[in-house]
Amino acid sequence: MATVQSWGRYPYFPQDAHPVAWRDSAADVWRRAIGDAQTTLAFGNGRSYGDSCLAASGSVVQMLPLDRFMSFDGQTGVLRAEAGVTLGQILDLAIPRGWMLPVTPGTKYATLAGAIANDVHGKNHHVRGTFGRHVRRFSLTRSDGTQFECTPDSQPEFFAATIGGLGLTGLITWAEIQLMPVRSSSLDVTSIRFANLDEFFTLSEQFDAQHEYSVAWVDCSSRGASLGRGVFMVGDHANDDQLNVARRKKRTVPFTLPIPVFNRLTLRAFNELYYRRQTQREVRTKVDCESYFYPLDALLEWNRIYGRNGFQQYQCVIPPAAAYDATREILDTISRSGTGSILAVLKRCGDIQSPGLMSFPREGTSLALDFPQRDASNRSLFSRLDAIVRGGGGRLYPAKDAHMSGADFRAAYPQWEQIEALRDPAMLSRFWERTTRV
């Protein structure tokens, strides 16, 4: 039996993993995983950062071995696959045939079922919404032995509760999704260096509607007139009829570092160099899908750079009315703290509704940063950030969270009670226990 943990390695609660090799054995493995604890949780490829992927019992059902394609229609782009198939495996099959994931997060190592359970989003939320909007159907197995197919019209309550439902409604064993047609595996990208947060909002207002993808890197250590400076990047699939899956050389962080690589001095130096490396204000390039969507995937086990204590990601979304002031205050608070991230991602989400009950994205501005785990400083900083988010009517991302209070979660996601009503009694995560039972 293997031991698994969350990608952020915080909180540190290794899980005993019970692998499912075949769909028809899922119920038996589930019963073994439950054992004396009475509860368990599905676990994919461990790309969730906090404790939403950790079973309260410490025993999970490992779905990654369920990695088979069941059907693919090259004419319509409808694909059906088992729960453990990764997004990267889907791309390897789909791109040479002229199809692409309509929505993808920042890693291709997430599983299909994980993408549904967390209702992931990407750089084109303003155009295509969340992953859940492109799910046609899936099979759900419950601990009472029942198994049924969920669609928007058949079992609609379970369909809505499972998309973004954090894996609490049962085991997804397979899913069917609609892919999007593309004519190239490359993207035409325009990168624009901006001097401060005001320029970001101006650029986003001007360019988002004109492009499929839009996102910005922001220097979280900048201050004063340069607060929120960064690089704004918009992209569209090229039309060159070249459908090749790029194979980039991978590097691996070979061991967990004793302390984090980044501190106050190295963080500021890195951000300065990254901001200055684009010498022209505007640069146009053509890049492959992997470089554009998954830059961190080129460095395997990159979470090890944060040291033995791991890291936390802080990702929030603020509605439009408060977005500018709240984002400015958040960035100023982070900069003054002297900590932060080399990969701070800023983007505006659209108003396209998810079919899921508890999807994170909403219309507004999203900011995501990684912080090395330092108990005292993170607790103090996150408390101040939470107050800003709360005051702006925003919310945090459960799939990335390891600290959100129960009060903040329940206020930001009032649909949690509907999820709880449909939650399989044998499914319970540390996150759900922490935020709904305290």
Side-chain angles (χ1 to χ4, degrees):
M1 185 187 304
T3 299
V4 295
Q5 59 187 337
S6 71
W7 188 249
R9 300 186 171 200
Y10 178 85
Y12 184 69
F13 289 103
Q15 308 277 294
D16 292 330
H18 301 260
V20 178
W22 304 96
R23 294 195 301 278
D24 59 8
S25 70
D28 291 336
V29 175
W30 192 347
R31 282 191 290 270
R32 290 198 300 273
I34 292 172
D36 296 332
Q38 300 302 310
T39 62
T40 184
L41 195 69
F43 191 95
N45 202 21
R47 254 44 189 189
S48 294
Y49 286 22
D51 57 2
S52 66
C53 65
L54 304 178
S57 65
S59 178
V60 295
V61 180
Q62 171 64 279
M63 305 297 287
L64 195 61
L66 286 183
D67 61 353
R68 304 166 188 88
F69 290 102
M70 300 167 65
S71 64
F72 176 58
D73 188 329
Q75 298 299 312
T76 64
V78 174
L79 178 143
R80 183 179 294 195
E82 291 180 333
V85 167
T86 66
L87 302 185
Q89 291 171 320
I90 293 175
L91 292 174
D92 287 346
L93 172 72
I95 287 179
R97 294 166 174 82
W99 297 94
M100 171 70 188
L101 289 166
V103 172
T104 180
T107 177
K108 67 177 183 178
Y109 295 122
T111 63
L112 176 58
I116 295 171
N118 293 289
D119 198 14
V120 298
H121 60 284
K123 297 178 175 70
N124 60 347
H125 182 268
H126 61 294
V127 177
R128 302 189 190 274
T130 64
F131 193 89
R133 291 191 69 249
H134 309 277
V135 175
R136 293 165 53 93
R137 65 189 74 241
F138 52 82
S139 177
L140 196 66
T141 298
R142 302 270 289 179
S143 61
D144 61 6
T146 59
Q147 182 175 344
F148 47 88
E149 187 175 298
C150 298
T151 74
D153 301 315
S154 173
Q155 301 288 350
E157 287 187 337
F158 277 102
F159 186 82
T162 302
I163 294 174
L166 304 177
L168 296 167
T169 58
L171 290 179
I172 300 172
T173 54
W174 59 262
E176 183 179 279
I177 61 174
Q178 175 65 60
L179 301 179
M180 132 178 127
V182 292
R183 291 185 56 188
S184 177
S185 54
S186 297
L187 293 102
D188 294 319
V189 178
T190 300
S191 301
I192 305 173
R193 199 171 75 174
F194 56 91
N196 50 44
L197 190 63
D198 296 64
E199 282 195 26
F200 163 78
F201 278 93
T202 298
L203 289 169
S204 182
E205 188 68 32
Q206 179 181 352
F207 288 109
D208 281 2
Q210 302 175 27
H211 298 277
E212 175 78 23
Y213 303 103
S214 177
V215 71
W217 168 84
V218 61
D219 177 2
C220 64
S221 60
S222 57
R223 301 279 297 274
S226 297
L227 180 71
R229 70 179 183 177
V231 180
F232 183 77
M233 293 160 280
V234 289
D236 299 280
H237 291 279
N239 293 311
D240 57 15
D241 295 318
Q242 299 295 314
L243 294 166
N244 305 309
V245 178
R247 299 296 180 191
R248 290 190 298 165
K249 184 177 181 180
K250 308 291 186 185
R251 297 182 183 276
T252 302
V253 180
F255 56 86
T256 301
L257 302 180
I259 60 173
V261 169
F262 297 102
N263 54 40
R264 184 186 296 263
L265 294 177
T266 58
L267 176 68
R268 188 173 293 277
F270 177 90
N271 283 351
E272 181 70 28
L273 289 171
Y274 192 90
Y275 180 73
R276 297 292 179 188
R277 74 170 187 165
Q278 181 169 314
T279 56
Q280 298 175 304
R281 184 175 187 273
E282 182 174 322
V283 176
R284 297 187 179 188
T285 56
K286 178 175 285 189
V287 300
D288 62 82
C289 281
E290 189 160 335
S291 298
Y292 185 69
F293 293 114
Y294 315 116
L296 283 178
D297 283 350
L299 184 61
L300 302 177
E301 307 295 344
W302 61 262
N303 55 345
R304 292 173 175 172
I305 68 174
Y306 285 97
R308 297 192 183 102
N309 293 330
F311 71 97
Q312 291 192 60
Q313 183 170 105
Y314 193 98
Q315 184 165 2
C316 61
V317 61
I318 312 291
Y324 174 79
D325 290 337
T327 303
R328 185 176 184 84
E329 188 175 359
I330 288 171
L331 287 172
D332 184 61
T333 301
I334 292 171
S335 177
R336 291 178 184 277
S337 75
T339 185
S341 174
I342 60 170
L343 191 67
V345 178
L346 184 63
K347 61 187 174 187
R348 293 174 73 193
C349 296
D351 60 359
I352 302 173
Q353 294 296 308
S354 166
L357 288 177
M358 211 170 65
S359 180
F360 160 72
R362 58 170 296 174
E363 184 180 11
T365 300
S366 171
L367 177 65
L369 304 96
D370 297 337
F371 295 86
Q373 178 53 29
R374 301 182 178 98
D375 287 339
S377 61
N378 282 0
R379 192 179 305 114
S380 174
L381 175 62
F382 290 177
S383 177
R384 284 174 281 160
L385 300 183
D386 289 349
I388 300 169
V389 173
R390 191 184 309 124
R395 60 192 180 202
L396 305 181
Y397 192 7
K400 304 288 183 71
D401 179 71
H403 84 279
M404 190 183 345
S405 72
D408 280 351
F409 170 71
R410 296 189 295 271
Y413 296 93
Q415 303 89 340
W416 78 269
E417 292 182 300
Q418 294 171 260
I419 304 291
E420 176 62 21
L422 296 174
R423 180 177 65 85
D424 191 295
M427 290 295 205
L428 183 63
S429 66
R430 294 189 65 88
F431 173 88
W432 200 252
E433 187 175 57
R434 171 169 62 85
T435 57
T436 68
R437 298 190 173 188
V438 178

Short mmCIF file of all heavy atoms in Angstrom, two decimals, residues 134-183:
data_model
loop_
_atom_site.label_atom_id
_atom_site.label_comp_id
_atom_site.label_asym_id
_atom_site.label_seq_id
_atom_site.Cartn_x
_atom_site.Cartn_y
_atom_site.Cartn_z
N HIS A 134 -18.34 21.72 -19.62
CA HIS A 134 -18.04 20.89 -20.79
C HIS A 134 -18.13 19.39 -20.45
O HIS A 134 -17.72 18.56 -21.24
CB HIS A 134 -16.67 21.27 -21.32
CG HIS A 134 -16.53 22.74 -21.52
ND1 HIS A 134 -16.98 23.39 -22.65
CD2 HIS A 134 -16.04 23.72 -20.70
CE1 HIS A 134 -16.76 24.69 -22.53
NE2 HIS A 134 -16.19 24.92 -21.36
N VAL A 135 -18.68 19.11 -19.27
CA VAL A 135 -18.92 17.73 -18.86
C VAL A 135 -20.32 17.32 -19.32
O VAL A 135 -21.31 18.00 -19.01
CB VAL A 135 -18.79 17.58 -17.33
CG1 VAL A 135 -19.17 16.17 -16.90
CG2 VAL A 135 -17.38 17.91 -16.88
N ARG A 136 -20.40 16.23 -20.05
CA ARG A 136 -21.68 15.76 -20.56
C ARG A 136 -22.36 14.77 -19.62
O ARG A 136 -23.57 14.81 -19.43
CB ARG A 136 -21.48 15.10 -21.93
CG ARG A 136 -21.06 16.06 -23.03
CD ARG A 136 -20.53 15.32 -24.25
NE ARG A 136 -21.46 14.32 -24.73
CZ ARG A 136 -22.38 14.52 -25.68
NH1 ARG A 136 -22.49 15.72 -26.24
NH2 ARG A 136 -23.18 13.54 -26.07
N ARG A 137 -21.56 13.89 -19.03
CA ARG A 137 -22.11 12.88 -18.14
C ARG A 137 -20.98 12.20 -17.39
O ARG A 137 -19.81 12.28 -17.78
CB ARG A 137 -22.92 11.85 -18.93
CG ARG A 137 -22.09 11.01 -19.91
CD ARG A 137 -22.98 10.16 -20.82
NE ARG A 137 -23.62 10.99 -21.84
CZ ARG A 137 -24.93 11.13 -21.97
NH1 ARG A 137 -25.75 10.48 -21.15
NH2 ARG A 137 -25.44 11.90 -22.91
N PHE A 138 -21.32 11.53 -16.31
CA PHE A 138 -20.34 10.73 -15.57
C PHE A 138 -21.08 9.67 -14.77
O PHE A 138 -22.30 9.76 -14.54
CB PHE A 138 -19.46 11.59 -14.65
CG PHE A 138 -20.21 12.51 -13.73
CD1 PHE A 138 -20.74 12.03 -12.52
CD2 PHE A 138 -20.39 13.85 -14.04
CE1 PHE A 138 -21.42 12.87 -11.67
CE2 PHE A 138 -21.09 14.69 -13.20
CZ PHE A 138 -21.60 14.21 -12.00
N SER A 139 -20.33 8.65 -14.36
CA SER A 139 -20.88 7.58 -13.55
C SER A 139 -20.48 7.80 -12.10
O SER A 139 -19.32 8.07 -11.80
CB SER A 139 -20.37 6.22 -14.03
OG SER A 139 -20.85 5.18 -13.20
N LEU A 140 -21.46 7.67 -11.20
CA LEU A 140 -21.22 7.90 -9.78
C LEU A 140 -21.57 6.63 -9.00
O LEU A 140 -22.66 6.07 -9.16
CB LEU A 140 -22.07 9.07 -9.28
CG LEU A 140 -21.70 9.68 -7.94
CD1 LEU A 140 -20.34 10.37 -8.02
CD2 LEU A 140 -22.76 10.68 -7.50
N THR A 141 -20.63 6.17 -8.20
CA THR A 141 -20.84 5.00 -7.35
C THR A 141 -20.96 5.46 -5.90
O THR A 141 -20.14 6.24 -5.42
CB THR A 141 -19.67 4.00 -7.48
OG1 THR A 141 -19.59 3.54 -8.82
CG2 THR A 141 -19.87 2.82 -6.55
N ARG A 142 -21.98 4.99 -5.21
CA ARG A 142 -22.23 5.37 -3.82
C ARG A 142 -21.90 4.20 -2.88
O ARG A 142 -21.87 3.04 -3.29
CB ARG A 142 -23.69 5.77 -3.64
CG ARG A 142 -24.14 6.93 -4.53
CD ARG A 142 -23.93 8.26 -3.88
NE ARG A 142 -24.87 8.47 -2.77
CZ ARG A 142 -24.88 9.56 -2.01
NH1 ARG A 142 -24.00 10.53 -2.24
NH2 ARG A 142 -25.76 9.70 -1.04
N SER A 143 -21.69 4.53 -1.62
CA SER A 143 -21.27 3.51 -0.66
C SER A 143 -22.38 2.51 -0.34
O SER A 143 -22.11 1.44 0.21
CB SER A 143 -20.79 4.16 0.63
OG SER A 143 -21.82 4.92 1.23
N ASP A 144 -23.63 2.84 -0.67
CA ASP A 144 -24.72 1.88 -0.44
C ASP A 144 -24.83 0.85 -1.56
O ASP A 144 -25.75 0.04 -1.59
CB ASP A 144 -26.06 2.61 -0.26
CG ASP A 144 -26.46 3.43 -1.49
OD1 ASP A 144 -25.76 3.34 -2.53
OD2 ASP A 144 -27.46 4.15 -1.41
N GLY A 145 -23.88 0.90 -2.51
CA GLY A 145 -23.87 -0.06 -3.60
C GLY A 145 -24.53 0.41 -4.87
O GLY A 145 -24.44 -0.26 -5.91
N THR A 146 -25.22 1.54 -4.83
CA THR A 146 -25.88 2.05 -6.02
C THR A 146 -24.86 2.69 -6.96
O THR A 146 -23.85 3.26 -6.53
CB THR A 146 -26.97 3.08 -5.68
OG1 THR A 146 -26.37 4.17 -4.95
CG2 THR A 146 -28.06 2.44 -4.83
N GLN A 147 -25.14 2.60 -8.24
CA GLN A 147 -24.30 3.21 -9.28
C GLN A 147 -25.23 3.75 -10.34
O GLN A 147 -26.14 3.06 -10.81
CB GLN A 147 -23.35 2.18 -9.88
CG GLN A 147 -22.41 2.75 -10.93
CD GLN A 147 -21.40 1.72 -11.42
OE1 GLN A 147 -21.21 0.68 -10.80
NE2 GLN A 147 -20.77 1.99 -12.53
N PHE A 148 -25.03 5.01 -10.73
CA PHE A 148 -25.93 5.60 -11.71
C PHE A 148 -25.19 6.65 -12.54
O PHE A 148 -24.15 7.16 -12.14
CB PHE A 148 -27.16 6.23 -11.04
CG PHE A 148 -26.86 7.09 -9.84
CD1 PHE A 148 -26.59 8.45 -9.98
CD2 PHE A 148 -26.85 6.54 -8.56
CE1 PHE A 148 -26.34 9.24 -8.88
CE2 PHE A 148 -26.59 7.33 -7.45
CZ PHE A 148 -26.33 8.68 -7.61
N GLU A 149 -25.77 6.92 -13.70
CA GLU A 149 -25.20 7.90 -14.61
C GLU A 149 -25.82 9.26 -14.34
O GLU A 149 -27.04 9.37 -14.18
CB GLU A 149 -25.47 7.48 -16.05
CG GLU A 149 -24.79 8.33 -17.10
CD GLU A 149 -24.99 7.77 -18.50
OE1 GLU A 149 -24.53 6.63 -18.76
OE2 GLU A 149 -25.61 8.48 -19.32
N CYS A 150 -24.98 10.28 -14.27
CA CYS A 150 -25.44 11.65 -14.00
C CYS A 150 -25.28 12.51 -15.24
O CYS A 150 -24.20 12.54 -15.85
CB CYS A 150 -24.64 12.27 -12.86
SG CYS A 150 -24.80 11.43 -11.28
N THR A 151 -26.34 13.21 -15.62
CA THR A 151 -26.32 14.20 -16.68
C THR A 151 -27.12 15.41 -16.19
O THR A 151 -27.75 15.33 -15.13
CB THR A 151 -26.96 13.66 -17.98
OG1 THR A 151 -28.39 13.60 -17.81
CG2 THR A 151 -26.44 12.27 -18.33
N PRO A 152 -27.13 16.50 -16.93
CA PRO A 152 -27.96 17.63 -16.50
C PRO A 152 -29.44 17.29 -16.42
O PRO A 152 -30.20 17.96 -15.71
CB PRO A 152 -27.69 18.69 -17.57
CG PRO A 152 -26.33 18.35 -18.10
CD PRO A 152 -26.28 16.85 -18.09
N ASP A 153 -29.87 16.24 -17.14
CA ASP A 153 -31.29 15.87 -17.16
C ASP A 153 -31.59 14.62 -16.36
O ASP A 153 -32.75 14.40 -15.96
CB ASP A 153 -31.75 15.67 -18.61
CG ASP A 153 -31.55 16.91 -19.46
OD1 ASP A 153 -31.90 18.01 -18.98
OD2 ASP A 153 -31.02 16.78 -20.59
N SER A 154 -30.59 13.77 -16.16
CA SER A 154 -30.78 12.55 -15.39
C SER A 154 -29.94 12.65 -14.12
O SER A 154 -28.73 12.84 -14.19
CB SER A 154 -30.34 11.33 -16.22
OG SER A 154 -30.35 10.15 -15.44
N GLN A 155 -30.57 12.55 -12.97
CA GLN A 155 -29.91 12.80 -11.69
C GLN A 155 -29.31 14.20 -11.65
O GLN A 155 -28.13 14.39 -11.32
CB GLN A 155 -28.82 11.75 -11.43
CG GLN A 155 -29.30 10.32 -11.39
CD GLN A 155 -30.10 9.99 -10.15
OE1 GLN A 155 -30.14 10.78 -9.20
NE2 GLN A 155 -30.73 8.83 -10.15
N PRO A 156 -30.08 15.23 -11.99
CA PRO A 156 -29.53 16.59 -12.06
C PRO A 156 -29.00 17.11 -10.73
O PRO A 156 -28.04 17.89 -10.71
CB PRO A 156 -30.71 17.42 -12.56
CG PRO A 156 -31.93 16.64 -12.17
CD PRO A 156 -31.53 15.21 -12.29
N GLU A 157 -29.59 16.67 -9.60
CA GLU A 157 -29.10 17.15 -8.31
C GLU A 157 -27.68 16.64 -8.05
O GLU A 157 -26.82 17.40 -7.60
CB GLU A 157 -30.04 16.68 -7.19
CG GLU A 157 -31.36 17.42 -7.14
CD GLU A 157 -32.17 17.04 -5.92
OE1 GLU A 157 -31.93 15.94 -5.36
OE2 GLU A 157 -33.02 17.84 -5.51
N PHE A 158 -27.45 15.37 -8.34
CA PHE A 158 -26.12 14.81 -8.14
C PHE A 158 -25.14 15.35 -9.18
O PHE A 158 -23.95 15.51 -8.89
CB PHE A 158 -26.16 13.28 -8.20
CG PHE A 158 -26.57 12.65 -6.90
CD1 PHE A 158 -27.86 12.18 -6.72
CD2 PHE A 158 -25.67 12.55 -5.86
CE1 PHE A 158 -28.24 11.60 -5.52
CE2 PHE A 158 -26.03 11.98 -4.65
CZ PHE A 158 -27.34 11.51 -4.47
N PHE A 159 -25.61 15.63 -10.39
CA PHE A 159 -24.75 16.23 -11.41
C PHE A 159 -24.22 17.57 -10.90
O PHE A 159 -23.01 17.84 -10.94
CB PHE A 159 -25.53 16.42 -12.71
CG PHE A 159 -24.71 16.90 -13.87
CD1 PHE A 159 -23.96 16.03 -14.62
CD2 PHE A 159 -24.69 18.25 -14.23
CE1 PHE A 159 -23.20 16.46 -15.71
CE2 PHE A 159 -23.94 18.70 -15.30
CZ PHE A 159 -23.19 17.80 -16.04
N ALA A 160 -25.10 18.42 -10.40
CA ALA A 160 -24.71 19.75 -9.93
C ALA A 160 -23.87 19.69 -8.65
O ALA A 160 -22.93 20.47 -8.47
CB ALA A 160 -25.96 20.60 -9.69
N ALA A 161 -24.19 18.73 -7.76
CA ALA A 161 -23.45 18.65 -6.50
C ALA A 161 -22.07 18.04 -6.67
O ALA A 161 -21.16 18.33 -5.89
CB ALA A 161 -24.26 17.82 -5.50
N THR A 162 -21.88 17.23 -7.70
CA THR A 162 -20.58 16.57 -7.91
C THR A 162 -19.60 17.48 -8.61
O THR A 162 -18.39 17.46 -8.32
CB THR A 162 -20.78 15.27 -8.72
OG1 THR A 162 -21.69 14.41 -8.01
CG2 THR A 162 -19.47 14.53 -8.93
N ILE A 163 -20.07 18.33 -9.54
CA ILE A 163 -19.19 19.29 -10.20
C ILE A 163 -18.82 20.39 -9.19
O ILE A 163 -19.67 21.16 -8.75
CB ILE A 163 -19.87 19.90 -11.44
CG1 ILE A 163 -20.09 18.82 -12.50
CG2 ILE A 163 -19.04 21.05 -12.01
CD1 ILE A 163 -20.88 19.28 -13.70
N GLY A 164 -17.57 20.41 -8.81
CA GLY A 164 -17.13 21.35 -7.78
C GLY A 164 -17.45 20.88 -6.38
O GLY A 164 -17.24 21.61 -5.41
N GLY A 165 -17.91 19.65 -6.22
CA GLY A 165 -18.33 19.13 -4.92
C GLY A 165 -17.24 18.48 -4.11
O GLY A 165 -17.51 17.83 -3.10
N LEU A 166 -15.98 18.61 -4.55
CA LEU A 166 -14.81 18.19 -3.78
C LEU A 166 -14.79 16.69 -3.50
O LEU A 166 -14.21 16.23 -2.51
CB LEU A 166 -14.73 18.97 -2.45
CG LEU A 166 -14.70 20.51 -2.59
CD1 LEU A 166 -14.68 21.15 -1.22
CD2 LEU A 166 -13.52 20.95 -3.42
N GLY A 167 -15.42 15.91 -4.37
CA GLY A 167 -15.35 14.46 -4.26
C GLY A 167 -16.19 13.87 -3.15
O GLY A 167 -15.96 12.72 -2.75
N LEU A 168 -17.18 14.59 -2.67
CA LEU A 168 -17.93 14.16 -1.50
C LEU A 168 -19.21 13.41 -1.81
O LEU A 168 -19.84 12.85 -0.90
CB LEU A 168 -18.27 15.39 -0.63
CG LEU A 168 -17.05 16.11 -0.04
CD1 LEU A 168 -17.46 17.46 0.53
CD2 LEU A 168 -16.38 15.26 1.02
N THR A 169 -19.63 13.37 -3.06
CA THR A 169 -20.90 12.74 -3.39
C THR A 169 -20.78 11.27 -3.76
O THR A 169 -21.80 10.58 -3.91
CB THR A 169 -21.59 13.48 -4.56
OG1 THR A 169 -20.71 13.46 -5.70
CG2 THR A 169 -21.91 14.91 -4.19
N GLY A 170 -19.57 10.76 -3.92
CA GLY A 170 -19.35 9.37 -4.29
C GLY A 170 -18.12 9.25 -5.16
O GLY A 170 -17.37 10.22 -5.35
N LEU A 171 -17.92 8.07 -5.72
CA LEU A 171 -16.78 7.83 -6.60
C LEU A 171 -17.17 8.05 -8.05
O LEU A 171 -18.07 7.37 -8.56
CB LEU A 171 -16.26 6.39 -6.44
CG LEU A 171 -15.56 6.00 -5.14
CD1 LEU A 171 -15.16 4.54 -5.20
CD2 LEU A 171 -14.35 6.87 -4.90
N ILE A 172 -16.52 8.99 -8.72
CA ILE A 172 -16.65 9.11 -10.17
C ILE A 172 -15.77 8.03 -10.78
O ILE A 172 -14.56 8.01 -10.53
CB ILE A 172 -16.20 10.49 -10.66
CG1 ILE A 172 -17.03 11.61 -10.04
CG2 ILE A 172 -16.26 10.57 -12.19
CD1 ILE A 172 -16.50 13.00 -10.33
N THR A 173 -16.35 7.13 -11.56
CA THR A 173 -15.54 6.06 -12.16
C THR A 173 -15.18 6.36 -13.61
O THR A 173 -14.14 5.94 -14.10
CB THR A 173 -16.24 4.71 -12.06
OG1 THR A 173 -17.56 4.80 -12.63
CG2 THR A 173 -16.34 4.26 -10.61
N TRP A 174 -16.06 7.08 -14.33
CA TRP A 174 -15.75 7.52 -15.68
C TRP A 174 -16.52 8.80 -15.97
O TRP A 174 -17.49 9.13 -15.27
CB TRP A 174 -16.06 6.46 -16.74
CG TRP A 174 -17.51 6.00 -16.81
CD1 TRP A 174 -18.04 4.89 -16.24
CD2 TRP A 174 -18.59 6.66 -17.47
NE1 TRP A 174 -19.38 4.79 -16.51
CE2 TRP A 174 -19.75 5.87 -17.27
CE3 TRP A 174 -18.71 7.82 -18.23
CZ2 TRP A 174 -21.01 6.22 -17.77
CZ3 TRP A 174 -19.96 8.19 -18.73
CH2 TRP A 174 -21.09 7.38 -18.51
N ALA A 175 -16.08 9.52 -16.98
CA ALA A 175 -16.75 10.77 -17.35
C ALA A 175 -16.66 10.98 -18.86
O ALA A 175 -15.72 10.50 -19.51
CB ALA A 175 -16.14 11.95 -16.61
N GLU A 176 -17.61 11.72 -19.37
CA GLU A 176 -17.65 12.06 -20.79
C GLU A 176 -17.63 13.58 -20.93
O GLU A 176 -18.42 14.27 -20.29
CB GLU A 176 -18.92 11.49 -21.44
CG GLU A 176 -19.02 11.72 -22.93
CD GLU A 176 -20.29 11.09 -23.50
OE1 GLU A 176 -20.28 9.86 -23.73
OE2 GLU A 176 -21.28 11.82 -23.70
N ILE A 177 -16.72 14.09 -21.75
CA ILE A 177 -16.58 15.53 -21.91
C ILE A 177 -16.60 15.91 -23.38
O ILE A 177 -16.36 15.08 -24.26
CB ILE A 177 -15.28 16.05 -21.26
CG1 ILE A 177 -14.04 15.41 -21.91
CG2 ILE A 177 -15.30 15.82 -19.76
CD1 ILE A 177 -12.72 15.99 -21.42
N GLN A 178 -16.90 17.18 -23.63
CA GLN A 178 -16.87 17.73 -24.98
C GLN A 178 -15.58 18.53 -25.16
O GLN A 178 -15.31 19.49 -24.43
CB GLN A 178 -18.08 18.65 -25.21
CG GLN A 178 -18.08 19.36 -26.55
CD GLN A 178 -18.21 18.40 -27.72
OE1 GLN A 178 -19.19 17.67 -27.81
NE2 GLN A 178 -17.23 18.39 -28.62
N LEU A 179 -14.76 18.13 -26.13
CA LEU A 179 -13.53 18.86 -26.43
C LEU A 179 -13.82 20.00 -27.40
O LEU A 179 -14.91 20.11 -27.95
CB LEU A 179 -12.49 17.91 -27.01
CG LEU A 179 -12.09 16.74 -26.12
CD1 LEU A 179 -11.08 15.85 -26.82
CD2 LEU A 179 -11.52 17.23 -24.79
N MET A 180 -12.85 20.85 -27.62
CA MET A 180 -12.99 22.00 -28.49
C MET A 180 -12.05 21.86 -29.69
O MET A 180 -10.90 21.44 -29.54
CB MET A 180 -12.72 23.25 -27.66
CG MET A 180 -11.82 24.25 -28.19
SD MET A 180 -11.66 25.69 -27.11
CE MET A 180 -9.90 25.75 -26.96
N PRO A 181 -12.52 22.20 -30.90
CA PRO A 181 -11.67 22.05 -32.09
C PRO A 181 -10.59 23.11 -32.15
O PRO A 181 -10.81 24.27 -31.79
CB PRO A 181 -12.66 22.21 -33.25
CG PRO A 181 -13.77 23.04 -32.69
CD PRO A 181 -13.88 22.66 -31.25
N VAL A 182 -9.40 22.72 -32.60
CA VAL A 182 -8.30 23.66 -32.83
C VAL A 182 -7.61 23.28 -34.13
O VAL A 182 -7.68 22.13 -34.58
CB VAL A 182 -7.27 23.64 -31.67
CG1 VAL A 182 -7.87 24.21 -30.40
CG2 VAL A 182 -6.72 22.24 -31.43
N ARG A 183 -6.92 24.25 -34.72
CA ARG A 183 -6.19 24.01 -35.97
C ARG A 183 -4.68 23.97 -35.76
O ARG A 183 -3.93 23.77 -36.71
CB ARG A 183 -6.54 25.09 -36.99
CG ARG A 183 -7.97 25.01 -37.50
CD ARG A 183 -8.22 26.02 -38.58
NE ARG A 183 -7.26 25.88 -39.69
CZ ARG A 183 -7.17 26.73 -40.71
NH1 ARG A 183 -7.96 27.81 -40.74
NH2 ARG A 183 -6.28 26.54 -41.66
#
